Amino acid sequence: MSRLLEQVREAVRTRHYSIRTEEAYIRWTREYILFCGKRHPSELGAREVSAFISHLAVARKVSASTQTQALSALLFLYREVLSLPIGWVDDVERAKKPQRLPVVFTREEARAVLCHLRGELWLMASLLYGSGLRLMECVRLRVKDLDLARGEIIVRDGKGGKDRVTVLPASLVEHLRRQLETARALHELDLREGFGHVYLPYALARKYPSADREWCWQYVFPARHRSVDPRSGREQRHHVAETVLQKAVKRAVRAAGVEKPGSCHTFRHSFATHMIERGSDIRTVQELLGHASVETTQIYTHVLNRGGRGVKSPLDDE
C-alpha cells in the first residue's frame, strides 16, 4: 500500500495540487483500500467504488461534499495514477449537495464580532468581511499582493486556480502598514539567523533561486515560529495557521451573543450580501468574489426577498 500511496503523492505534486488536496487524496485512497480488504485498486472497479461511497453516507453519515471529495480522490487514483479506463464512472451514483441559504451576519452583528477580536486576528477577520476573502486566501496573502496606494488586493491562485482583484478597505490601510512593519522585522531576524526562506508555488524556487528570501514574497501574516516544510524538508517561516483565526472567530461569535452558527466564511457571505443590499451590481460582486458563474452569486439576492419573497403577511394588516 505504501508504494501506491507514494505514487498518488507524486502524481498530485506533479500537477501542483495544494498540500491539503494531497493529504485528502492519500487519506481517501488508504481508506478505500482498507475498506476493500487491502486488495489492490487495479483489481476493483465501479461496484467497489459505489459500495465505498455508499458506506460513507450510510455508516459514517458524511456530508455530500465529503462524498464528492472521496469520489474525486478515487477517480484521480484510477485516471492519473493507475492509468486505467474509467468508463464505469457514470454508473457511480454521486451525492447531491443540498442547496442551502448562507448564514449571514447583519452589519451590527459583524461589527460586534469584530469588536471581540484584537490585533492580527482582528485585522484578518476585517479583511474577510471588508474584502470578501476566503479564509485561506487571507492567511496566504503575500506582501506583493497588497496595493495600498490603489486600495486593491490581488488574490493569487484562488479557488479554481484563478487570480482576481478585490477591494482593500481604506480603513485598514494604516493597520496593514503596521502589520507589514511587524512582518518585516520578523523576516529580517530570520535573515540574520541564516533563514528567511518562504514557500514558493510551482517551480519558482528553481527558476528564481533567491526569490524565496526576498521581502515581496513573504507572508503578510507570518507564523510566530519557523517550521519544517513537509515537502522540501527545510526550516522556514510559514503563514499563520488558519485554525488560529477559526477558533478566535468562533469565540468572538459566542462572546458577541450572536445566535447564528457563524464562522470565518460567514464574513465572506456577509460581504457579498451587504454589497448587494447597498446597490452594487451583481456582476461586480461576482468578480470581487471570484465566482465562475453569476448563478453562484445570485444566492445572495435572498436578502432582497424579506418576509417570504417580499410579500406582506396578513397578520400585519391593520
Side-chain angles (χ1 to χ4, degrees), residues 10-74:
E10 181 179 348
V12 169
R13 293 184 180 181
T14 299
R15 289 156 182 80
H16 306 297
Y17 290 177
S18 71
I19 192 168
R20 284 171 177 76
T21 301
E22 175 184 320
E23 294 169 349
Y25 279 17
I26 290 176
R27 183 179 70 253
W28 287 123
T29 301
R30 180 185 294 111
E31 291 195 22
Y32 173 61
I33 294 173
L34 293 176
F35 174 80
C36 296
K38 296 186 178 181
R39 295 169 60 194
H40 196 280
S42 61
E43 303 173 1
L44 310 172
R47 186 177 62 180
E48 289 78 13
V49 171
S50 296
F52 178 64
I53 298 300
S54 297
H55 165 76
L56 294 179
V58 177
R60 295 176 51 177
K61 302 186 186 306
V62 302
S63 66
S65 59
T66 301
Q67 280 183 277
T68 300
Q69 184 190 64
L71 180 58
S72 297
L74 298 184

Short mmCIF file of all heavy atoms in Angstrom, two decimals, residues 10-74:
data_model
loop_
_atom_site.label_atom_id
_atom_site.label_comp_id
_atom_site.label_asym_id
_atom_site.label_seq_id
_atom_site.Cartn_x
_atom_site.Cartn_y
_atom_site.Cartn_z
N GLU A 10 3.13 11.57 -5.58
CA GLU A 10 3.94 12.09 -6.68
C GLU A 10 3.06 12.66 -7.79
O GLU A 10 3.36 13.71 -8.36
CB GLU A 10 4.83 10.98 -7.24
CG GLU A 10 5.74 11.42 -8.37
CD GLU A 10 6.62 10.30 -8.88
OE1 GLU A 10 6.70 9.25 -8.21
OE2 GLU A 10 7.23 10.47 -9.96
N ALA A 11 1.96 11.96 -8.10
CA ALA A 11 1.05 12.44 -9.15
C ALA A 11 0.40 13.76 -8.76
O ALA A 11 0.22 14.65 -9.60
CB ALA A 11 -0.01 11.38 -9.44
N VAL A 12 0.04 13.90 -7.49
CA VAL A 12 -0.58 15.13 -7.00
C VAL A 12 0.41 16.29 -7.11
O VAL A 12 0.07 17.38 -7.57
CB VAL A 12 -1.07 14.96 -5.56
CG1 VAL A 12 -1.45 16.31 -4.95
CG2 VAL A 12 -2.27 14.03 -5.51
N ARG A 13 1.64 16.05 -6.69
CA ARG A 13 2.64 17.12 -6.71
C ARG A 13 3.02 17.50 -8.13
O ARG A 13 3.31 18.66 -8.41
CB ARG A 13 3.87 16.69 -5.91
CG ARG A 13 3.59 16.54 -4.43
CD ARG A 13 4.84 16.21 -3.63
NE ARG A 13 4.52 16.09 -2.21
CZ ARG A 13 5.42 15.82 -1.26
NH1 ARG A 13 6.69 15.66 -1.60
NH2 ARG A 13 5.05 15.75 0.01
N THR A 14 3.02 16.52 -9.02
CA THR A 14 3.33 16.82 -10.42
C THR A 14 2.32 17.79 -11.01
O THR A 14 2.67 18.63 -11.85
CB THR A 14 3.34 15.52 -11.25
OG1 THR A 14 4.35 14.64 -10.72
CG2 THR A 14 3.63 15.80 -12.72
N ARG A 15 1.09 17.70 -10.55
CA ARG A 15 0.02 18.57 -11.07
C ARG A 15 -0.16 19.83 -10.23
O ARG A 15 -1.13 20.57 -10.40
CB ARG A 15 -1.28 17.76 -11.16
CG ARG A 15 -1.23 16.73 -12.28
CD ARG A 15 -2.19 15.58 -12.05
NE ARG A 15 -2.07 14.59 -13.13
CZ ARG A 15 -1.10 13.67 -13.20
NH1 ARG A 15 -0.16 13.63 -12.25
NH2 ARG A 15 -1.05 12.81 -14.21
N HIS A 16 0.73 20.05 -9.29
CA HIS A 16 0.75 21.27 -8.48
C HIS A 16 -0.52 21.46 -7.66
O HIS A 16 -0.97 22.60 -7.46
CB HIS A 16 0.99 22.51 -9.36
CG HIS A 16 2.21 22.41 -10.22
ND1 HIS A 16 3.48 22.29 -9.70
CD2 HIS A 16 2.35 22.41 -11.56
CE1 HIS A 16 4.35 22.23 -10.68
NE2 HIS A 16 3.70 22.28 -11.83
N TYR A 17 -1.09 20.37 -7.19
CA TYR A 17 -2.24 20.50 -6.30
C TYR A 17 -1.77 20.96 -4.94
O TYR A 17 -0.61 20.80 -4.57
CB TYR A 17 -2.98 19.16 -6.18
CG TYR A 17 -3.72 18.72 -7.42
CD1 TYR A 17 -4.38 17.50 -7.47
CD2 TYR A 17 -3.77 19.51 -8.56
CE1 TYR A 17 -5.05 17.07 -8.61
CE2 TYR A 17 -4.44 19.10 -9.70
CZ TYR A 17 -5.08 17.88 -9.72
OH TYR A 17 -5.73 17.47 -10.85
N SER A 18 -2.68 21.51 -4.15
CA SER A 18 -2.31 22.00 -2.83
C SER A 18 -1.98 20.84 -1.89
O SER A 18 -2.37 19.69 -2.14
CB SER A 18 -3.46 22.82 -2.23
OG SER A 18 -4.54 21.97 -1.87
N ILE A 19 -1.30 21.16 -0.81
CA ILE A 19 -0.90 20.13 0.13
C ILE A 19 -2.12 19.54 0.82
O ILE A 19 -2.12 18.37 1.21
CB ILE A 19 0.10 20.69 1.16
CG1 ILE A 19 0.73 19.53 1.95
CG2 ILE A 19 -0.57 21.70 2.09
CD1 ILE A 19 1.93 19.93 2.77
N ARG A 20 -3.18 20.31 0.96
CA ARG A 20 -4.40 19.78 1.57
C ARG A 20 -5.10 18.79 0.63
O ARG A 20 -5.65 17.79 1.09
CB ARG A 20 -5.35 20.93 1.95
CG ARG A 20 -4.88 21.65 3.20
CD ARG A 20 -5.68 22.92 3.46
NE ARG A 20 -5.23 23.52 4.70
CZ ARG A 20 -4.10 24.20 4.84
NH1 ARG A 20 -3.31 24.36 3.80
NH2 ARG A 20 -3.75 24.72 5.99
N THR A 21 -5.06 19.06 -0.64
CA THR A 21 -5.59 18.10 -1.61
C THR A 21 -4.77 16.83 -1.58
O THR A 21 -5.30 15.72 -1.64
CB THR A 21 -5.60 18.70 -3.02
OG1 THR A 21 -6.39 19.89 -3.04
CG2 THR A 21 -6.15 17.72 -4.04
N GLU A 22 -3.47 16.98 -1.49
CA GLU A 22 -2.57 15.83 -1.41
C GLU A 22 -2.92 14.97 -0.19
O GLU A 22 -3.06 13.74 -0.30
CB GLU A 22 -1.13 16.30 -1.31
CG GLU A 22 -0.11 15.20 -1.09
CD GLU A 22 1.29 15.75 -0.91
OE1 GLU A 22 1.65 16.71 -1.61
OE2 GLU A 22 2.03 15.20 -0.06
N GLU A 23 -3.06 15.60 0.95
CA GLU A 23 -3.39 14.86 2.18
C GLU A 23 -4.74 14.17 2.07
O GLU A 23 -4.90 13.01 2.50
CB GLU A 23 -3.37 15.82 3.37
CG GLU A 23 -1.99 16.38 3.69
CD GLU A 23 -2.04 17.51 4.69
OE1 GLU A 23 -3.17 18.00 4.97
OE2 GLU A 23 -0.97 17.92 5.18
N ALA A 24 -5.72 14.87 1.49
CA ALA A 24 -7.06 14.30 1.37
C ALA A 24 -7.07 13.10 0.42
O ALA A 24 -7.67 12.06 0.72
CB ALA A 24 -8.04 15.37 0.89
N TYR A 25 -6.42 13.23 -0.73
CA TYR A 25 -6.41 12.14 -1.71
C TYR A 25 -5.70 10.91 -1.16
O TYR A 25 -6.14 9.77 -1.39
CB TYR A 25 -5.75 12.61 -3.01
CG TYR A 25 -6.67 13.42 -3.91
CD1 TYR A 25 -7.85 13.97 -3.41
CD2 TYR A 25 -6.36 13.63 -5.25
CE1 TYR A 25 -8.69 14.70 -4.23
CE2 TYR A 25 -7.21 14.36 -6.08
CZ TYR A 25 -8.37 14.90 -5.56
OH TYR A 25 -9.21 15.62 -6.37
N ILE A 26 -4.62 11.11 -0.44
CA ILE A 26 -3.91 9.97 0.15
C ILE A 26 -4.77 9.32 1.23
O ILE A 26 -4.83 8.09 1.32
CB ILE A 26 -2.56 10.43 0.72
CG1 ILE A 26 -1.61 10.79 -0.43
CG2 ILE A 26 -1.94 9.36 1.60
CD1 ILE A 26 -0.29 11.35 0.02
N ARG A 27 -5.43 10.12 2.03
CA ARG A 27 -6.29 9.57 3.09
C ARG A 27 -7.43 8.75 2.51
O ARG A 27 -7.71 7.63 2.97
CB ARG A 27 -6.85 10.71 3.94
CG ARG A 27 -7.70 10.20 5.12
CD ARG A 27 -8.22 11.33 5.97
NE ARG A 27 -9.24 12.12 5.30
CZ ARG A 27 -9.06 13.34 4.84
NH1 ARG A 27 -7.89 13.92 4.94
NH2 ARG A 27 -10.05 13.99 4.25
N TRP A 28 -8.09 9.26 1.47
CA TRP A 28 -9.21 8.52 0.89
C TRP A 28 -8.75 7.27 0.15
O TRP A 28 -9.44 6.25 0.18
CB TRP A 28 -10.00 9.42 -0.06
CG TRP A 28 -10.82 10.46 0.64
CD1 TRP A 28 -10.76 11.82 0.47
CD2 TRP A 28 -11.83 10.24 1.63
NE1 TRP A 28 -11.66 12.44 1.28
CE2 TRP A 28 -12.34 11.50 2.00
CE3 TRP A 28 -12.35 9.09 2.23
CZ2 TRP A 28 -13.34 11.66 2.96
CZ3 TRP A 28 -13.36 9.25 3.19
CH2 TRP A 28 -13.83 10.51 3.54
N THR A 29 -7.60 7.34 -0.46
CA THR A 29 -7.06 6.14 -1.12
C THR A 29 -6.77 5.05 -0.09
O THR A 29 -7.10 3.87 -0.30
CB THR A 29 -5.76 6.48 -1.89
OG1 THR A 29 -6.05 7.49 -2.87
CG2 THR A 29 -5.20 5.25 -2.59
N ARG A 30 -6.18 5.44 1.02
CA ARG A 30 -5.89 4.47 2.09
C ARG A 30 -7.17 3.86 2.63
O ARG A 30 -7.27 2.64 2.83
CB ARG A 30 -5.10 5.15 3.21
CG ARG A 30 -4.77 4.20 4.37
CD ARG A 30 -4.11 4.92 5.52
NE ARG A 30 -2.80 5.43 5.17
CZ ARG A 30 -2.51 6.71 5.03
NH1 ARG A 30 -3.46 7.63 5.18
NH2 ARG A 30 -1.28 7.09 4.73
N GLU A 31 -8.17 4.71 2.90
CA GLU A 31 -9.42 4.20 3.46
C GLU A 31 -10.14 3.28 2.47
O GLU A 31 -10.76 2.29 2.88
CB GLU A 31 -10.32 5.37 3.86
CG GLU A 31 -9.79 6.17 5.04
CD GLU A 31 -10.84 7.07 5.63
OE1 GLU A 31 -12.06 6.80 5.43
OE2 GLU A 31 -10.48 8.05 6.30
N TYR A 32 -10.07 3.60 1.20
CA TYR A 32 -10.69 2.77 0.17
C TYR A 32 -10.04 1.39 0.13
O TYR A 32 -10.73 0.36 0.07
CB TYR A 32 -10.58 3.46 -1.18
CG TYR A 32 -11.03 2.66 -2.37
CD1 TYR A 32 -12.34 2.21 -2.48
CD2 TYR A 32 -10.15 2.37 -3.41
CE1 TYR A 32 -12.76 1.49 -3.59
CE2 TYR A 32 -10.55 1.65 -4.52
CZ TYR A 32 -11.87 1.21 -4.60
OH TYR A 32 -12.27 0.48 -5.70
N ILE A 33 -8.73 1.35 0.18
CA ILE A 33 -8.01 0.06 0.14
C ILE A 33 -8.33 -0.77 1.38
O ILE A 33 -8.57 -1.98 1.28
CB ILE A 33 -6.49 0.32 0.03
CG1 ILE A 33 -6.17 0.96 -1.32
CG2 ILE A 33 -5.72 -0.98 0.19
CD1 ILE A 33 -4.73 1.39 -1.47
N LEU A 34 -8.37 -0.13 2.54
CA LEU A 34 -8.69 -0.86 3.77
C LEU A 34 -10.13 -1.36 3.75
O LEU A 34 -10.42 -2.48 4.19
CB LEU A 34 -8.47 0.04 4.98
CG LEU A 34 -7.01 0.44 5.27
CD1 LEU A 34 -6.95 1.42 6.44
CD2 LEU A 34 -6.18 -0.81 5.56
N PHE A 35 -11.04 -0.54 3.21
CA PHE A 35 -12.45 -0.94 3.12
C PHE A 35 -12.60 -2.18 2.24
O PHE A 35 -13.46 -3.04 2.50
CB PHE A 35 -13.26 0.22 2.55
CG PHE A 35 -14.71 -0.11 2.28
CD1 PHE A 35 -15.64 -0.13 3.30
CD2 PHE A 35 -15.13 -0.40 0.98
CE1 PHE A 35 -16.97 -0.44 3.05
CE2 PHE A 35 -16.46 -0.71 0.72
CZ PHE A 35 -17.39 -0.73 1.76
N CYS A 36 -11.78 -2.27 1.20
CA CYS A 36 -11.86 -3.40 0.26
C CYS A 36 -10.95 -4.56 0.66
O CYS A 36 -10.58 -5.38 -0.20
CB CYS A 36 -11.52 -2.92 -1.15
SG CYS A 36 -12.68 -1.72 -1.82
N GLY A 37 -10.58 -4.63 1.93
CA GLY A 37 -9.79 -5.75 2.40
C GLY A 37 -8.36 -5.76 1.90
O GLY A 37 -7.77 -6.82 1.71
N LYS A 38 -7.79 -4.56 1.70
CA LYS A 38 -6.40 -4.38 1.26
C LYS A 38 -6.13 -4.97 -0.13
O LYS A 38 -4.98 -5.28 -0.46
CB LYS A 38 -5.42 -4.97 2.28
CG LYS A 38 -5.46 -4.29 3.64
CD LYS A 38 -4.38 -4.82 4.56
CE LYS A 38 -4.40 -4.09 5.89
NZ LYS A 38 -3.34 -4.57 6.81
N ARG A 39 -7.16 -5.10 -0.94
CA ARG A 39 -6.97 -5.53 -2.32
C ARG A 39 -6.45 -4.35 -3.13
O ARG A 39 -6.74 -3.19 -2.84
CB ARG A 39 -8.28 -6.04 -2.91
CG ARG A 39 -8.81 -7.31 -2.24
CD ARG A 39 -10.23 -7.60 -2.67
NE ARG A 39 -10.33 -7.79 -4.11
CZ ARG A 39 -11.48 -7.80 -4.78
NH1 ARG A 39 -12.63 -7.60 -4.12
NH2 ARG A 39 -11.50 -8.00 -6.08
N HIS A 40 -5.68 -4.62 -4.15
CA HIS A 40 -5.12 -3.55 -4.97
C HIS A 40 -6.25 -2.93 -5.80
O HIS A 40 -7.09 -3.64 -6.37
CB HIS A 40 -4.03 -4.09 -5.89
CG HIS A 40 -3.18 -3.02 -6.49
ND1 HIS A 40 -3.58 -2.27 -7.59
CD2 HIS A 40 -1.96 -2.55 -6.12
CE1 HIS A 40 -2.63 -1.40 -7.88
NE2 HIS A 40 -1.63 -1.54 -7.02
N PRO A 41 -6.29 -1.61 -5.89
CA PRO A 41 -7.37 -0.95 -6.65
C PRO A 41 -7.48 -1.39 -8.10
O PRO A 41 -8.56 -1.30 -8.70
CB PRO A 41 -6.98 0.53 -6.56
CG PRO A 41 -6.21 0.64 -5.30
CD PRO A 41 -5.44 -0.64 -5.20
N SER A 42 -6.39 -1.88 -8.70
CA SER A 42 -6.46 -2.34 -10.09
C SER A 42 -7.37 -3.55 -10.24
O SER A 42 -7.85 -3.85 -11.34
CB SER A 42 -5.06 -2.67 -10.61
OG SER A 42 -4.47 -3.70 -9.84
N GLU A 43 -7.62 -4.25 -9.13
CA GLU A 43 -8.49 -5.42 -9.15
C GLU A 43 -9.95 -5.03 -8.89
O GLU A 43 -10.83 -5.90 -8.92
CB GLU A 43 -8.05 -6.43 -8.08
CG GLU A 43 -6.61 -6.89 -8.23
CD GLU A 43 -6.17 -7.76 -7.06
OE1 GLU A 43 -7.01 -8.00 -6.16
OE2 GLU A 43 -5.01 -8.19 -7.04
N LEU A 44 -10.18 -3.76 -8.61
CA LEU A 44 -11.50 -3.31 -8.21
C LEU A 44 -12.09 -2.41 -9.30
O LEU A 44 -11.43 -2.08 -10.27
CB LEU A 44 -11.41 -2.55 -6.88
CG LEU A 44 -10.63 -3.28 -5.77
CD1 LEU A 44 -10.44 -2.35 -4.57
CD2 LEU A 44 -11.35 -4.55 -5.37
N GLY A 45 -13.35 -2.01 -9.11
CA GLY A 45 -13.99 -1.18 -10.13
C GLY A 45 -15.20 -0.46 -9.60
O GLY A 45 -15.28 -0.12 -8.42
N ALA A 46 -16.19 -0.27 -10.47
CA ALA A 46 -17.36 0.54 -10.14
C ALA A 46 -18.12 0.00 -8.94
O ALA A 46 -18.60 0.78 -8.11
CB ALA A 46 -18.28 0.62 -11.36
N ARG A 47 -18.26 -1.33 -8.84
CA ARG A 47 -19.03 -1.90 -7.74
C ARG A 47 -18.40 -1.56 -6.39
O ARG A 47 -19.10 -1.17 -5.44
CB ARG A 47 -19.12 -3.42 -7.90
CG ARG A 47 -20.03 -4.09 -6.86
CD ARG A 47 -20.14 -5.58 -7.11
NE ARG A 47 -18.84 -6.24 -6.99
CZ ARG A 47 -18.66 -7.55 -7.17
NH1 ARG A 47 -19.69 -8.31 -7.54
NH2 ARG A 47 -17.47 -8.08 -7.02
N GLU A 48 -17.07 -1.69 -6.30
CA GLU A 48 -16.39 -1.41 -5.04
C GLU A 48 -16.39 0.09 -4.72
O GLU A 48 -16.56 0.48 -3.56
CB GLU A 48 -14.94 -1.92 -5.09
CG GLU A 48 -14.80 -3.44 -5.06
CD GLU A 48 -15.10 -4.09 -6.40
OE1 GLU A 48 -15.17 -3.35 -7.41
OE2 GLU A 48 -15.25 -5.33 -6.45
N VAL A 49 -16.23 0.91 -5.75
CA VAL A 49 -16.27 2.36 -5.52
C VAL A 49 -17.64 2.78 -5.03
O VAL A 49 -17.77 3.56 -4.07
CB VAL A 49 -15.89 3.12 -6.81
CG1 VAL A 49 -16.14 4.62 -6.64
CG2 VAL A 49 -14.44 2.87 -7.17
N SER A 50 -18.69 2.25 -5.66
CA SER A 50 -20.05 2.58 -5.24
C SER A 50 -20.32 2.11 -3.82
O SER A 50 -20.96 2.83 -3.03
CB SER A 50 -21.06 1.93 -6.19
OG SER A 50 -20.95 2.47 -7.49
N ALA A 51 -19.82 0.93 -3.49
CA ALA A 51 -20.01 0.41 -2.14
C ALA A 51 -19.32 1.29 -1.11
O ALA A 51 -19.85 1.55 -0.02
CB ALA A 51 -19.47 -1.03 -2.06
N PHE A 52 -18.13 1.76 -1.46
CA PHE A 52 -17.38 2.61 -0.54
C PHE A 52 -18.08 3.94 -0.34
O PHE A 52 -18.23 4.42 0.80
CB PHE A 52 -15.96 2.82 -1.06
CG PHE A 52 -15.12 3.72 -0.21
CD1 PHE A 52 -14.79 3.36 1.09
CD2 PHE A 52 -14.66 4.94 -0.70
CE1 PHE A 52 -14.00 4.20 1.89
CE2 PHE A 52 -13.89 5.77 0.08
CZ PHE A 52 -13.56 5.40 1.38
N ILE A 53 -18.53 4.55 -1.43
CA ILE A 53 -19.23 5.84 -1.34
C ILE A 53 -20.53 5.70 -0.55
O ILE A 53 -20.87 6.55 0.27
CB ILE A 53 -19.51 6.40 -2.75
CG1 ILE A 53 -18.20 6.65 -3.51
CG2 ILE A 53 -20.32 7.69 -2.65
CD1 ILE A 53 -17.27 7.64 -2.83
N SER A 54 -21.23 4.59 -0.76
CA SER A 54 -22.47 4.34 -0.01
C SER A 54 -22.17 4.13 1.48
O SER A 54 -22.92 4.58 2.35
CB SER A 54 -23.19 3.12 -0.57
OG SER A 54 -23.58 3.34 -1.91
N HIS A 55 -21.06 3.45 1.75
CA HIS A 55 -20.65 3.23 3.14
C HIS A 55 -20.41 4.56 3.85
O HIS A 55 -20.78 4.72 5.03
CB HIS A 55 -19.38 2.37 3.16
CG HIS A 55 -18.67 2.37 4.48
ND1 HIS A 55 -19.12 1.64 5.56
CD2 HIS A 55 -17.54 3.01 4.89
CE1 HIS A 55 -18.30 1.82 6.59
NE2 HIS A 55 -17.34 2.65 6.21
N LEU A 56 -19.81 5.49 3.16
CA LEU A 56 -19.56 6.80 3.77
C LEU A 56 -20.85 7.49 4.14
O LEU A 56 -20.95 8.14 5.19
CB LEU A 56 -18.76 7.68 2.80
CG LEU A 56 -17.34 7.23 2.46
CD1 LEU A 56 -16.71 8.20 1.46
CD2 LEU A 56 -16.48 7.13 3.70
N ALA A 57 -21.87 7.34 3.28
CA ALA A 57 -23.15 8.02 3.53
C ALA A 57 -23.97 7.32 4.60
O ALA A 57 -24.54 7.96 5.49
CB ALA A 57 -23.94 8.12 2.25
N VAL A 58 -24.03 5.98 4.52
CA VAL A 58 -24.91 5.21 5.40
C VAL A 58 -24.29 4.97 6.77
O VAL A 58 -24.89 5.26 7.81
CB VAL A 58 -25.30 3.87 4.74
CG1 VAL A 58 -26.16 3.05 5.68
CG2 VAL A 58 -26.03 4.13 3.42
N ALA A 59 -23.09 4.43 6.78
CA ALA A 59 -22.46 4.05 8.04
C ALA A 59 -21.80 5.24 8.75
O ALA A 59 -21.91 5.40 9.95
CB ALA A 59 -21.43 2.94 7.80
N ARG A 60 -21.12 6.08 7.98
CA ARG A 60 -20.38 7.18 8.60
C ARG A 60 -21.12 8.50 8.53
O ARG A 60 -20.73 9.47 9.19
CB ARG A 60 -19.01 7.31 7.95
CG ARG A 60 -18.13 6.08 8.22
CD ARG A 60 -16.81 6.13 7.52
NE ARG A 60 -16.08 7.37 7.74
CZ ARG A 60 -14.86 7.61 7.27
NH1 ARG A 60 -14.24 6.68 6.56
NH2 ARG A 60 -14.27 8.75 7.50
N LYS A 61 -22.21 8.53 7.75
CA LYS A 61 -23.10 9.69 7.68
C LYS A 61 -22.33 10.99 7.35
O LYS A 61 -22.55 12.03 7.97
CB LYS A 61 -23.87 9.86 8.99
CG LYS A 61 -24.71 8.64 9.36
CD LYS A 61 -25.55 8.88 10.57
CE LYS A 61 -26.28 7.62 11.02
NZ LYS A 61 -27.06 7.00 9.95
N VAL A 62 -21.44 10.91 6.37
CA VAL A 62 -20.69 12.10 5.98
C VAL A 62 -21.56 12.97 5.09
O VAL A 62 -22.59 12.54 4.57
CB VAL A 62 -19.39 11.71 5.24
CG1 VAL A 62 -18.52 10.82 6.10
CG2 VAL A 62 -19.69 11.03 3.91
N SER A 63 -21.15 14.21 4.91
CA SER A 63 -21.90 15.15 4.08
C SER A 63 -21.71 14.84 2.60
O SER A 63 -20.82 14.08 2.21
CB SER A 63 -21.44 16.58 4.37
OG SER A 63 -20.10 16.76 3.94
N ALA A 64 -22.55 15.49 1.79
CA ALA A 64 -22.46 15.29 0.34
C ALA A 64 -21.12 15.79 -0.20
O ALA A 64 -20.54 15.17 -1.10
CB ALA A 64 -23.61 16.01 -0.35
N SER A 65 -20.62 16.89 0.35
CA SER A 65 -19.34 17.42 -0.13
C SER A 65 -18.19 16.49 0.21
O SER A 65 -17.24 16.35 -0.58
CB SER A 65 -19.09 18.80 0.47
OG SER A 65 -19.07 18.74 1.88
N THR A 66 -18.27 15.81 1.35
CA THR A 66 -17.23 14.84 1.71
C THR A 66 -17.28 13.63 0.79
O THR A 66 -16.23 13.12 0.37
CB THR A 66 -17.40 14.39 3.18
OG1 THR A 66 -17.33 15.53 4.04
CG2 THR A 66 -16.32 13.39 3.58
N GLN A 67 -18.48 13.17 0.46
CA GLN A 67 -18.62 12.08 -0.51
C GLN A 67 -18.01 12.47 -1.86
O GLN A 67 -17.31 11.67 -2.48
CB GLN A 67 -20.09 11.73 -0.71
CG GLN A 67 -20.70 10.85 0.38
CD GLN A 67 -22.13 10.52 0.02
OE1 GLN A 67 -23.04 11.30 0.27
NE2 GLN A 67 -22.33 9.37 -0.58
N THR A 68 -18.28 13.68 -2.28
CA THR A 68 -17.76 14.15 -3.56
C THR A 68 -16.24 14.19 -3.54
O THR A 68 -15.58 13.81 -4.53
CB THR A 68 -18.31 15.55 -3.88
OG1 THR A 68 -19.74 15.49 -3.94
CG2 THR A 68 -17.78 16.07 -5.21
N GLN A 69 -15.67 14.63 -2.44
CA GLN A 69 -14.21 14.67 -2.33
C GLN A 69 -13.62 13.26 -2.39
O GLN A 69 -12.60 13.03 -3.06
CB GLN A 69 -13.80 15.34 -1.01
CG GLN A 69 -12.30 15.51 -0.87
CD GLN A 69 -11.89 15.94 0.53
OE1 GLN A 69 -12.08 15.20 1.49
NE2 GLN A 69 -11.33 17.14 0.64
N ALA A 70 -14.26 12.31 -1.70
CA ALA A 70 -13.77 10.93 -1.71
C ALA A 70 -13.84 10.36 -3.12
O ALA A 70 -12.89 9.69 -3.58
CB ALA A 70 -14.59 10.08 -0.75
N LEU A 71 -14.93 10.61 -3.83
CA LEU A 71 -15.07 10.11 -5.19
C LEU A 71 -14.02 10.75 -6.11
O LEU A 71 -13.43 10.06 -6.96
CB LEU A 71 -16.47 10.38 -5.71
CG LEU A 71 -16.77 9.91 -7.14
CD1 LEU A 71 -16.53 8.42 -7.29
CD2 LEU A 71 -18.21 10.25 -7.53
N SER A 72 -13.77 12.03 -5.94
CA SER A 72 -12.76 12.70 -6.75
C SER A 72 -11.38 12.09 -6.53
O SER A 72 -10.60 11.92 -7.47
CB SER A 72 -12.71 14.20 -6.41
OG SER A 72 -13.94 14.82 -6.74
N ALA A 73 -11.10 11.73 -5.28
CA ALA A 73 -9.81 11.10 -4.97
C ALA A 73 -9.67 9.75 -5.66
O ALA A 73 -8.61 9.42 -6.20
CB ALA A 73 -9.68 10.94 -3.45
N LEU A 74 -10.75 8.98 -5.69
CA LEU A 74 -10.69 7.66 -6.31
C LEU A 74 -10.61 7.77 -7.83
O LEU A 74 -9.91 6.99 -8.48
CB LEU A 74 -11.91 6.83 -5.89
CG LEU A 74 -12.01 6.55 -4.38
CD1 LEU A 74 -13.19 5.64 -4.09
CD2 LEU A 74 -10.72 5.93 -3.85
#
